Amino acid sequence: MPEKVLMKGNEAIAEAAIRSGCRHYFGYPITPQTEIAAYMAKRMPKLEDGCFLQAESEIAAINMVIGASAAGKRAMTSSSSPGIALKSEGLSYLAGCDLPAVVVNIQRGGPGLGGIQPSQADYFQATKGGGHGDYHMAVLAPSGVQEMFDLTCLAFDIADRYRITSMVLSDGILGQMMEPVTFPEEETLNNAVPVEKSWALTGTHGLRPPNIVNSLLMDPLELERSVVERFARYGEIAARETRWEEMLTDDADIVIAAYGATARIAANALQAARAQGIKVGLLRPITLWPFPKAPLLELAQRAKAFVCVELSMGQMAEDVELAIRCQKPVLRCTRTGGVVPSPDEVLAKILEAAKG
Amino acid sequence: MTTQLLFAGFGGQGLLFAGKFLAYAGLIEGRQVSWLPSYGPEMRGGTANCSVILSDEPIGSPIVLAPDILIAMNLPSYRKFEPMVKPNGVLLVDSALIGEQSARQDISAYYIPATQLASDENMPGLANMILTGKLLSVSPLLKQETIPAAMAKTVPARKQALLEQNLRAIALGRAA
Amino acid sequence: MPIVFEKPQGLTNAPMHYCPGCTHGIVHRLAAQALDDLNLTGQAVGVAPVGCAVFAYNYFNCDMIQAAHGRAPAVATGLKRANPETIVFTYQGDGDLAAIGTAETVQSACRGENITIIFINNAIYGMTGGQMAPTTLPGQITQTSPYGRDVTKTGMPIKVCELLATLEAPAYIERVSVDSVKNVRAAQKAITKAFQYQAQGKGFSLIEVVSTCPTNWGMTPVQALAWLREHMLDYYKLGVYRDRYAGEVAA
């Protein structure tokens, strides 16, 4: 049994990246994700081919990721909300170029410079694109430090397998908190089998025609075709990679939908409500894109109401309503700006839902 | 069984360190643990706190709103969190820094001039561990034998010289 | 019949889209020739900008990537750091390099990234139809300076070579032109030397090529070359602005 170590969520992400074979990290300081860069700055120079570079800006950092990824290497950048906004041009280019990359967003309150306290207000930005154009990222939402590690490993695998950007969408609570983590043995990591990157820019060496990584397609039909092809791949991702966790949903009249840190707060409220005899369950999306629509729709056939707990004004709640086709009411239990709801606030909303 | 602890005071008083020590101790004893700092620009001198949970169940929210145990190391934190201590909870106050005493009858309160003791005993900056030592003497939170191992994990490898001092501060707190 | 002149292997057979009299074609050729001469084409990875040279990936016969506007030096940084054995170059215009991409330009130079930047300065935004560039000359008429560039409101044009030469790290910075046979030869020498420096691991080099844009300047190609000589070369003086290894390498 591997040893458990106490680690901050941010550090677990960085360690996961290194263990996933990422040797190229480009970042820019911003609270509350700075530990990721600090960890990389410490570790990368000690690794063969390890590259840590503090870029001049968020924009430069994501473009360095584009370069390293185009060169065929696993590359990552991390930031927090305002910095992710700056990176969104690069996110769109990554999509248009079909380059794999991992981008971490340890969310803080917004809009604007906002605050530095935890938030989930970048849900739309992450799941609906963020940058310009028709595209998606795979969006993974850990709810504990172990998952910060596990889902970062998965993010690299998904990125390579589908030539897509994987975003680890977390928040200041999970980034800053420490919990015990176990690292899997190297060979149990999925990424033991590297994906062939025949498209990488490594020089032709006179042996093949040039590889071109490009998102510019002037012919509308050609551009449309490339987007449609990409969406076919998105369909495959939705079919194979949608992940979620359910807790006590079998007999649930009320279903809480919450992800990340709020799912943990909701779990406290769930237990308090169960203690009062209310049949409440929790569905925690682990992938926010692809969104677990099917299990939500299925639950909607039995449940009376849904309660969405979010650190935003109710962004995921819209996806829940879409998933259940508005068949049941979706109550919002939301705090924003860096304020975190207490389990009691969530309980109150559950009671409201139970009253109907 | 779940114990929620809150360390509250100024940044720089070692609140996060004390919390980390307890988290490691819980980990060694095979419990579920979480450690969550308040974070922000006030690295030194501003109010800061640290939530630690030790539990036999999976931990939900890592945020401690109503602590079973509060260690208060400055007046603003004392005033803010003293009313939130759960009934039958434990309150530990650095009485060298906080002149007030709790009127609550439903909690056990201990007043230790930890900062003064640390200064008298030439262990500056270890008021945090003196209070932690007192906590361990009044609460069955941890086994005695866990303490050195947890401390060895908590003190960074390059600062092992501080290990003995920290253990001494805990012992001092126990006796206080 | 003996072949006395041919296209470098470093260029594809794709017909270029550049306007008649545009100097991009010459500079493409010089870059490709330099890679050929140094036997580096097979190792080369080029970064195309946003601007008239956006389609450079169709013309250079090596691995290519197209970067977002101004970000080419950052993309090149990632490419080079990931595969140090490749020869990485960017090919950028004045708007791309000296306006929207100023930070990436200055910081990659400051870090001494071991990359080569070929910078086309034609004092105007070409692709979008002739707007004022950071290098547009005082009084020069463009679509967005219809009364002539007013330096009291827009400042003086940026001298990129002079600016970057204040930094410690860059290995080699030279301004050349392609307005005459003599200058084309000098430009060839400079670009070759820049690639050679990269191959030798010497670090960052930038070659600024003072160029023409007959279409957006509203001139014939010949008039444009004359205008370049008369106006641009006075403000943008040709020469070596930095060479940390001068004398060490026989170019």
Side-chain angles (χ1 to χ4, degrees), chain A residues 240-280:
Chain A
R240 290 170 57 180
E241 308 294 350
T242 307
R243 285 168 170 80
W244 71 95
E245 183 186 59
E246 292 182 41
M247 187 192 283
L248 303 178
T249 48
D250 284 351
D251 64 343
D253 292 329
I254 312 293
V255 174
I256 308 171
Y259 67 97
T262 45
R264 302 175 62 125
I265 297 164
N268 287 115
L270 180 150
Q271 280 170 350
R274 282 270 171 183
Q276 296 185 24
I278 300 166
K279 288 182 180 165
V280 55

Side-chain angles (χ1 to χ4, degrees), chain A residues 3-6 8 31-32 42 107 116-118 172-173 176-180 261 264-265 267-268 340 342-343, chain B residues 4 16 20 23-24 27 31-41 57-63 65 153 158:
Chain A
E3 196 195 358
K4 281 185 180 178
V5 291
L6 268 187
K8 280 193 170 191
T31 304
K42 213 169 172 178
Q107 298 167 88
I116 60 168
Q117 297 305 318
I173 294 175
Q176 296 293 323
M177 76 182 287
M178 282 202 293
E179 278 185 319
R264 302 175 62 125
I265 297 164
N268 287 115
V340 179
S342 67
Chain B
Q4 303 204 5
L16 304 187
K20 197 171 167 183
Y24 258 118
L27 180 62
R31 310 189 69 189
Q32 306 280 334
V33 303
S34 71
W35 172 99
L36 176 71
S38 62
Y39 59 88
E57 314 285 321
I59 295 167
S61 172
I63 303 164
L65 300 169
K153 286 267 184 201
R158 62 194 150 77

Side-chain angles (χ1 to χ4, degrees), chain B residues 59-146:
Chain B
I59 295 167
S61 172
I63 303 164
V64 173
L65 300 169
D68 298 293
I69 297 167
L70 171 66
I71 293 186
M73 292 189 70
N74 72 6
L75 188 59
S77 298
Y78 169 82
R79 287 186 174 159
K80 184 172 173 189
F81 296 116
E82 181 264 349
M84 297 173 185
V85 178
K86 280 187 200 146
N88 304 316
V90 175
L91 168 67
L92 292 127
V93 174
D94 187 338
S95 55
L97 302 175
I98 300 165
E100 297 180 5
Q101 296 217 340
S102 175
R104 287 180 60 176
Q105 300 298 313
D106 60 339
I107 59 174
S108 310
Y110 301 90
Y111 302 89
I112 302 100
T115 298
Q116 186 62 49
L117 280 172
S119 167
D120 292 348
E121 296 291 323
N122 195 27
M123 34 175 82
L126 289 180
N128 60 338
M129 298 322 291
I130 291 173
L131 287 163
T132 303
K134 182 68 185 175
L135 165 66
L136 296 178
S137 77
V138 303
S139 152
L141 189 63
L142 294 174
K143 299 190 188 88
Q144 171 67 25
E145 60 267 26
T146 312

Side-chain angles (χ1 to χ4, degrees), chain A residues 14-35:
Chain A
E15 181 63 31
I18 290 168
R19 285 178 186 246
S20 299
C22 171
R23 293 292 177 273
H24 296 85
Y25 172 88
F26 307 96
Y28 188 83
I30 182 170
T31 304
Q33 65 79 48
T34 317
E35 290 84 359

Side-chain angles (χ1 to χ4, degrees), chain C residues 82-152:
Chain C
N83 273 337
E85 70 280 10
T86 51
I87 295 293
V88 178
F89 69 98
T90 74
Y91 187 104
Q92 302 174 260
D94 41 48
D96 191 80
L97 181 136
I100 195 166
T102 312
E104 284 80 359
T105 304
V106 173
Q107 298 292 341
S108 60
C110 185
R111 288 192 300 269
E113 289 296 339
N114 193 22
I115 58 173
T116 302
I117 292 183
I118 298 168
F119 165 39
I120 305 300
N121 176 5
N122 58 10
I124 206 155
Y125 281 79
M127 192 192 220
T128 44
Q131 294 80 25
M132 190 183 81
T135 51
T136 292
L137 292 177
Q140 188 181 336
I141 289 170
T142 72
Q143 196 185 71
T144 51
S145 57
Y147 310 109
R149 178 169 184 165
D150 179 354
V151 296
T152 66

Side-chain angles (χ1 to χ4, degrees), chain C residues 194-208:
Chain C
F195 279 124
Q196 197 174 7
Y197 270 28
Q198 184 181 164
Q200 293 165 343
K202 288 189 159 59
F204 183 92
S205 53
L206 177 142
I207 306 301
E208 173 175 341

